[in-house]
Amino acid sequence: MAKQNDQVCVVKGWEDGPVIDESTLNDDLSRHFYYTLGRNKVGESQLYLYNALALTIRDRLVARCRETNKHIEQQKGRKTAYLSLEFLMGRALGNAVLNLDLDQQVASALQEYCTELETVAQAEHDAGLGNGGLGRLAACFLDSCASLALPVVGYGIRYEYGMFNQSLKDGHQIEQPDNWLREGHPWELSAPEQAKRVKFFGHVQSYTDKDSREHRQLTGTQDVLAVPYDVPIPGYKNNVVNTLRLWKSEATDEFNLTEFNAGSYSEAVAQKNLAEQITMVLYPNDASENGKELRLRQQYFLSSASIQDIVDQWVAKHGEDFSDFAKHHVFQLNDTHPSIAVAELMRILMDDYELTWDAAWDITSATMAYTNHTLLPEALEKWSVSLFSRLLPRILEIIYEINARFLAKVAQQWPGDTQKQRALSLIEEGAEPQIRMAYLAIVGSFSVNGVAALHTELLKEGLFKDFYDLWPAKFNNKTNGVTPRRWVAHCNPLLSKLISQSIGDGWVADFAKISQLRRFYDDKKFHKQWQSVKTQNKQRLVDLVKERCDVDFDVTMMFDVQVKRIHEYKRQLLNVLHVIHLYDRIRRGDTEGLVPRCVLLGGKAAPGYYMAKKIIKLINNVAHVINKDPKAAPYLRVAFLPNYNVTAMETICPATDLSEQISTAGKEASGTGNMKFMMNGALTIGTLDGANIEIRDAVGSDNFFLFGAQTSEIDEIKSRYNPAKLVAENSDLENVMQLLQSGQFNLFEPGLFDDIINAIMSPHDPWLVAHDFESYIAAQKQVEHAYKDQYYWTQMSILNTAASGMFSSDRTIAQYSDDIWHLEPLTINDTHTNK
Ligand SMILES: *Cc1c(COP(=O)(O)O)cnc(C)c1O
């Protein structure tokens, strides 16, 4: 490189770039609109105005991000890298304007274009780089880390296609690709000069160094470039802007050159596609793995690129002395997906920097921390040894060595117990030996956490019991949370205004303060305002349901909502049985005490999940029959909202009266939808599962509609489970099953729902739908009773919001930091960044 280029040229008086501040916002917006984007009219779509505004806001984020990074450098404290295959970010504009406190200025700037933020914001495409709760949790965590001024960087994949778009055809789910980058993604900044090289395939070779130490090295690998794209993550009014670094896969130049020199230009270009496939698409499976090779490539690609990034930064600053590395770095693994990072850090330290096994292991096992997200056995990732030996031969060697040393420990603890060795081995024996990735994560981590109190207890007693016996101190609980910025302040401006008028606006940054709302639970004037806000929010949802489903909801009716991924364990089916039960009562004229309801369901089914797709079809058929029956109209309306995503939830949760959290006990690790609804004043009907238990404890059992079998009862119930008997003994359930079996909901599609009927009637139904039906119907009766007394209902609604303080992800992240990460908050005053 020419000498000249190595010299840093700083423009005089511009150490941090040209001045941007309050006074330049209007000019910046018009400059981006007229010049960066080259427009002169606001057209039909607000896309260009949205892009100009996003760039204007991004300028302000970039300034703060630079300052934040400077502080992180200077502070020399610990840093966390949050590794996740999913970040379900949703839209960024409204959130950034809120966190930078620019509402007023943006509103006035947009006046010149005769529009307002809410309208312009509609032009933004959701960043749907996640399936559901796990990916949204990662997004809420980033907001909380920045808002608590913690030095945390998110690492993920820049999928070309995010979570599929869902539409309906004759009530069936249709999946369409989500080409979210088509119209550009103005928030990101790429840094191709910081690209990393990720190595696949190849052969392991040994060599001996000058001190006659043996080393291992990969040769003949097929390399892929990981190019970083940085997305700014603003903290709430604290001048901190953290980074989410998303990796895109690209072909290396010499990869192509080899082919090119062999005279096959076209083949070389085709090879490029192969490399770029890695980050092409998000796997749309929530809480289940499908074992596809490309998925393993994604996991290794993310893990390797992210660890290289951190290690390269370390070496640039400290040279090859890693003795203090673990003091300065933590890797938090969001579920088992990135657990291969354990072996990758070992590989880099040993093969690239010649550390001994023991030195590398001390560092690795002091920097890795693992969060488990599910107890469902089908979600526990396993990869075949044969796949590993082909794709990642050196990583396989390292996993074998970790396992050998671990099993020696097991043999010490349980001498002569070969059964125990087999049960705990990282390698599952069998015709096709498999690597148990969760075990790798546990063995390689200093912290293992569950995501709600019950979930962590079940991990310790069940799935990971032997590991808990070995290392009790590793295990800890971190109950999930959601960010009150997006999930109240941004999505429910009317409620936010009312809350701030009543208790001040300190609750947005310190959500524990929301408990002060309790003072108003018996205040008649406050009740009226609370109800008025809810009604206005319901009107927004009425409009959305009309537009998307062509169903007429009515703000005077109760809004009963279940939105989440469609899964048998979440029991949308139980909800449908209740809906059919209400319809059965209406048909029989048994409407005494019936509270008029609008029932909304929504959620995506994994494309290969047969039963989940059947359930969607059933919901739509039941909705169709009920909505066209004039007898039902005064009492019951049902809609399935297509394409449930973050943006839809921002309209849904402020409008909900009743939140359905009805999973089979012991199956939902935590849930976070339950928390969003609670914060917005919905009451919960739910089982004792996941964080529902903590929600009920926080708000009090009088303000929660509980039903269903408890975890401790499940085994016994299953041992004598007889749905036919339950149907025969319960006339409500009998009527519902008869309506289903009579073909009432599939008149022209005979046999369509046989598999659903059989699942409910099976003595082996793992989800115990028929068992919980009776207590669910009884709890729904209590709901009706409570809703009829609007004063009483409003009291409970206020108490729910007031008790939701602990479900802020700020609380969760403070606990991660105190117990696992040990981070020092940054202090950044606004001298350089008041822009
Ligand atoms: C919060 C959220 C989820 C998680 O919902 P659960 O009810 O906890 O399963 C899933 N998808 C989206 C879009 C969300 O916003």
Side-chain angles (χ1 to χ4, degrees):
M1 205 180 278
K3 183 110 208 287
Q4 220 177 335
N5 291 351
D6 291 328
Q7 289 170 353
V8 182
C9 168
V10 178
V11 179
K12 223 188 209 161
W14 268 36
E15 283 81 3
D16 301 295
V19 171
I20 48 167
D21 61 18
E22 291 186 14
S23 69
T24 67
L25 192 134
N26 286 32
D27 291 348
D28 293 343
L29 179 60
S30 45
R31 183 170 46 80
H32 283 306
F33 187 72
Y34 287 95
Y35 297 109
T36 313
L37 304 172
R39 301 292 129 183
N40 60 3
K41 285 202 290 280
V42 181
E44 288 275 283
S45 100
Q46 307 247 325
L47 184 66
Y48 291 108
L49 193 49
Y50 156 70
N51 272 301
L53 183 55
L55 292 171
T56 303
I57 302 294
R58 192 186 73 180
D59 292 341
R60 283 140 181 87
L61 293 169
V62 167
R64 288 173 171 82
C65 194
R66 192 175 291 129
E67 195 66 17
T68 301
N69 288 334
K70 221 193 270 175
H71 274 72
I72 294 176
E73 282 274 298
Q74 285 162 3
Q75 183 171 290
K76 301 190 173 88
R78 270 160 88 85
K79 237 172 42 169
T80 296
Y82 193 86
L83 269 56
S84 179
L85 270 286
E86 302 186 14
F87 287 91
L88 192 52
M89 302 298 283
R91 288 176 177 160
L93 179 60
N95 184 250
V97 170
L98 171 77
N99 282 13
L100 295 186
D101 199 14
L102 289 171
D103 293 88
Q104 305 272 313
Q105 291 165 52
V106 166
S108 84
L110 288 177
Q111 261 173 18
E112 293 182 20
Y113 299 81
C114 311
T115 186
E116 54 189 19
L117 179 57
E118 219 186 286
T119 313
V120 177
Q122 307 281 344
E124 182 170 2
H125 206 303
D126 266 43
L129 309 184
N131 273 280
L134 176 149
R136 184 54 230 174
L137 184 79
C140 283
F141 278 6
L142 293 184
D143 180 80
S144 286
C145 289
S147 295
L148 295 175
L150 298 176
V152 176
V153 50
Y155 282 104
I157 290 181
R158 184 179 178 275
Y159 300 106
E160 214 80 21
Y161 293 87
M163 187 60 205
F164 66 80
N165 284 315
Q166 177 195 55
S167 61
L168 297 170
K169 188 160 184 281
D170 304 326
H172 292 282
Q173 167 174 296
I174 306 291
E175 300 103 24
Q176 278 144 346
D178 165 44
N179 194 351
W180 72 293
L181 293 167
R182 187 169 43 206
E183 292 171 332
H185 181 224
W187 302 102
E188 69 188 12
L189 284 169
S190 72
E193 78 285 0
Q194 294 178 50
K196 307 296 165 195
R197 193 174 265 271
V198 178
K199 297 168 188 283
F200 293 97
F201 302 101
H203 304 280
V204 187
Q205 286 185 339
S206 297
Y207 71 95
T208 312
D209 68 15
K210 55 184 186 327
D211 305 321
S212 36
R213 268 179 58 203
E214 197 192 294
H215 295 281
R216 309 287 278 164
Q217 206 177 30
L218 264 175
T219 59
T221 54
Q222 295 180 27
D223 300 357
V224 175
L225 279 188
V227 180
Y229 286 72
D230 293 338
V231 181
I233 306 292
Y236 180 69
K237 296 187 188 176
N238 65 355
N239 289 308
V240 172
V241 175
N242 279 339
T243 302
L244 167 60
R245 176 158 273 202
L246 299 174
W247 300 103
K248 176 185 195 291
S249 63
E250 284 186 12
T252 61
D253 285 342
E254 86 274 11
F255 194 143
N256 295 340
L257 210 62
T258 326
E259 299 278 342
F260 181 75
N261 290 341
S264 35
Y265 170 78
S266 331
E267 281 75 5
V269 178
Q271 287 291 350
K272 205 169 149 67
N273 288 333
L274 233 62
E276 285 169 5
Q277 251 180 36
I278 294 179
T279 56
M280 193 56 72
V281 62
L282 165 76
Y283 278 92
N285 308 302
D286 185 67
S288 78
E289 284 308 321
N290 63 9
K292 289 271 162 42
E293 175 177 330
L294 186 58
R295 171 72 173 177
L296 178 58
R297 286 200 205 207
Q298 290 182 340
Q299 296 181 348
Y300 182 66
F301 175 80
L302 166 70
S303 302
S304 180
S306 309
I307 290 181
Q308 286 185 54
D309 199 33
I310 298 282
V311 169
D312 287 356
Q313 285 171 33
W314 177 267
V315 171
K317 224 173 134 182
H318 304 265
E320 299 193 3
D321 177 3
F322 286 89
S323 44
D324 277 347
F325 183 84
K327 264 194 221 144
H328 291 83
H329 290 287
V330 185
F331 297 95
Q332 188 70 43
L333 309 177
N334 193 26
D335 211 0
T336 320
H337 315 149
S339 56
I340 200 166
V342 169
E344 176 65 1
L345 181 56
M346 289 296 290
R347 185 191 67 79
I348 290 174
L349 293 176
M350 293 190 302
D351 297 0
D352 295 351
Y353 295 100
E354 306 198 334
L355 267 67
T356 62
W357 178 278
D358 289 334
W361 184 250
D362 285 348
I363 290 169
T364 300
S365 57
T367 50
M368 294 284 163
Y370 164 55
T371 304
N372 174 276
H373 278 272
T374 175
L375 295 155
L376 299 180
E378 64 268 32
L380 284 184
E381 282 181 279
K382 290 172 192 170
W383 295 108
S384 83
V385 167
S386 64
L387 170 58
F388 249 84
S389 70
R390 199 163 49 80
L391 190 65
L392 301 165
R394 177 60 181 139
I395 294 294
L396 179 63
E397 272 190 0
I398 291 170
I399 291 174
Y400 277 150
E401 181 69 20
I402 292 173
N403 195 38
R405 289 168 186 248
F406 167 60
L407 288 181
K409 214 177 149 61
V410 172
Q412 254 174 31
Q413 177 89 4
W414 293 283
D417 191 344
T418 52
Q419 178 58 39
K420 198 64 99 185
Q421 302 230 6
R422 212 167 306 133
L424 288 189
S425 174
L426 306 198
I427 313 294
E428 182 182 273
E429 289 162 29
E432 175 86 86
Q434 310 267 320
I435 305 174
R436 295 161 163 153
M437 299 304 283
Y439 291 10
L440 174 64
I442 297 172
V443 171
S445 297
F446 68 91
S447 164
V448 177
N449 76 280
V451 290
L454 174 71
H455 173 231
T456 301
E457 286 313 305
L458 294 175
L459 287 181
K460 295 196 289 194
E461 286 166 16
L463 205 55
F464 298 153
K465 182 176 185 310
D466 291 328
F467 291 101
Y468 178 62
D469 290 343
L470 259 179
W471 297 304
K474 270 194 195 186
F475 286 77
N476 63 95
N477 176 246
K478 296 288 168 280
T479 299
N480 284 166
V482 301
T483 170
R485 267 77 59 187
R486 181 174 296 264
W487 295 114
V488 185
H490 165 68
C491 78
N492 199 341
L494 297 173
L495 192 71
S496 300
K497 196 168 158 210
L498 175 59
I499 295 170
S500 294
Q501 278 167 7
S502 312
I503 63 170
D505 61 6
W507 60 274
V508 184
D510 179 7
F511 200 61
K513 291 205 169 90
I514 201 71
S515 67
Q516 294 170 23
L517 270 185
R518 284 181 66 92
R519 294 210 306 275
F520 298 88
Y521 97 108
D522 221 6
D523 180 327
K524 287 219 167 69
K525 181 170 163 240
F526 189 80
H527 273 219
K528 281 276 164 301
Q529 295 171 310
W530 191 266
Q531 288 163 354
S532 159
V533 165
K534 182 62 81 179
T535 305
Q536 292 175 71
N537 289 334
K538 284 164 93 165
Q539 186 59 50
R540 285 183 13 189
L541 184 54
V542 166
D543 297 341
L544 185 72
V545 168
K546 181 67 188 172
E547 178 197 319
R548 301 271 174 87
C549 319
D550 196 25
V551 174
D552 292 299
F553 275 14
D554 178 340
V555 296
T556 66
M557 296 165 79
M558 181 206 295
F559 281 20
D560 170 350
V561 177
Q562 186 176 21
V563 287
K564 47 184 77 242
R565 288 301 291 257
I566 310 292
H567 204 295
E568 286 163 288
Y569 86 79
K570 290 175 183 279
R571 294 201 296 193
Q572 282 89 359
L573 199 45
L574 184 58
N575 190 337
V576 178
L577 296 190
H578 173 246
V579 168
I580 296 174
H581 164 71
L582 292 177
Y583 184 53
D584 175 55
R585 279 179 60 184
I586 294 164
R587 280 165 43 109
R588 286 188 286 104
D590 175 18
T591 54
E592 169 108 18
L594 253 186
V595 166
R597 297 193 192 223
C598 298
V599 180
L600 182 69
L601 290 110
K604 293 171 186 176
Y609 191 169
Y610 172 82
M611 280 301 267
K613 290 182 138 179
K614 276 273 173 204
I615 291 166
I616 289 177
K617 175 63 173 160
L618 176 64
I619 295 166
N620 281 298
N621 279 25
V622 168
H624 185 72
V625 168
I626 291 174
N627 294 336
K628 75 172 172 31
D629 185 340
K631 276 200 304 295
Y635 299 105
L636 186 60
R637 315 203 181 155
V638 186
F640 184 90
L641 185 82
N643 205 39
Y644 172 58
N645 62 9
V646 170
T647 293
M649 187 53 157
E650 289 173 8
T651 304
I652 293 167
C653 67
T656 297
D657 294 308
L658 184 66
S659 157
E660 299 267 355
Q661 307 299 336
I662 60 178
S663 52
T664 312
K667 297 296 177 188
E668 188 75 89
S670 163
T672 50
N674 47 5
M675 301 168 185
K676 300 167 199 165
F677 285 115
M678 182 197 199
M679 283 182 182
N680 286 279
L683 276 65
T684 305
I685 183 167
T687 48
L688 282 181
D689 200 15
N692 294 353
I693 296 172
E694 289 152 87
I695 286 176
R696 179 167 169 269
D697 287 345
V699 73
S701 56
D702 292 347
N703 305 304
F704 185 104
F705 300 99
L706 179 68
F707 76 95
Q710 299 189 28
T711 311
S712 58
E713 302 164 344
I714 298 272
D715 284 347
E716 193 264 336
I717 293 166
K718 283 187 177 169
S719 72
R720 53 169 178 80
Y721 193 48
N722 186 350
K725 186 152 170 281
L726 292 170
V727 171
E729 287 170 355
N730 183 315
S731 61
D732 288 339
L733 183 53
E734 191 171 29
N735 291 337
V736 167
M737 293 310 292
Q738 243 158 37
L739 265 181
L740 257 178
Q741 270 151 347
S742 71
Q744 192 72 22
F745 303 109
N746 51 317
L747 283 176
F748 305 104
E749 301 164 297
L752 185 65
F753 299 127
D754 288 0
D755 290 327
I756 287 183
I757 293 164
N758 292 337
I760 298 169
M761 297 310 294
S762 165
H764 306 292
D765 173 22
W767 322 114
L768 302 179
V769 172
H771 178 274
D772 279 356
F773 177 84
E774 185 172 315
S775 69
Y776 182 52
I777 300 301
Q780 289 283 14
K781 282 230 169 69
Q782 291 172 11
V783 169
E784 293 188 319
H785 191 71
Y787 195 79
K788 266 185 240 160
D789 184 343
Q790 276 292 297
Y791 193 82
Y792 174 50
W793 185 273
T794 305
Q795 278 187 329
M796 292 198 288
S797 170
I798 295 166
L799 289 177
N800 266 272
T801 301
S804 67
M806 68 166 287
F807 302 105
S808 164
S809 45
D810 297 348
R811 185 272 310 151
T812 313
I813 287 300
Q815 291 178 335
Y816 274 92
S817 184
D818 288 348
D819 302 344
I820 305 173
W821 303 340
H822 306 295
L823 303 179
E824 284 293 330
L826 307 160
T827 45
I828 304 182
N829 45 43
D830 55 7
T831 50
H832 291 284
T833 51
N834 191 17
K835 290 171 177 175

